[in-house]
Amino acid sequence: DSQFKRGDTEMEATFKIDGMSCEHCQARVRAALLEQAGVSAANVSLANGTATVLYDAQVTSPYALLQAIGDVGFDADLALEE
């Protein structure tokens, strides 16, 4: 079950993020994601080293979100669903 409610063009992506070591890091990643056009929600877990993002697929993409995470200094990969 998703933690977010999706609309017609909304998609959810989960990213594995390397290098987050404190709550400030977590907050920087979350802020960077929420600043992106088309992002309606972002949940960043310091404990798991992940970010789950709800975004409008007509406005942005997982690759743009990866770039936003990289722009604030963290390496990230798209987590594949099992």
Side-chain angles (χ1 to χ4, degrees), residues 65-78:
L65 301 175
L66 281 171
Q67 181 67 46
I69 296 167
D71 286 348
V72 292
F74 298 95
D75 292 325
D77 290 303
L78 191 57

Side-chain angles (χ1 to χ4, degrees), residues 10-67:
E10 287 183 316
M11 300 291 290
E12 183 178 300
T14 300
F15 303 93
K16 183 71 178 161
I17 303 170
D18 293 325
M20 287 193 304
S21 59
C22 65
E23 289 180 6
H24 178 71
C25 298
Q26 177 183 8
R28 280 181 47 205
V29 170
R30 184 172 187 275
L33 290 167
L34 290 173
E35 287 174 1
Q36 301 306 301
V39 172
S40 57
N43 181 14
V44 181
S45 171
L46 179 61
N48 296 330
T50 59
T52 302
V53 183
L54 186 65
Y55 66 95
D56 186 331
Q58 292 183 335
V59 178
T60 192
S61 70
Y63 303 103
L65 301 175
L66 281 171
Q67 181 67 46

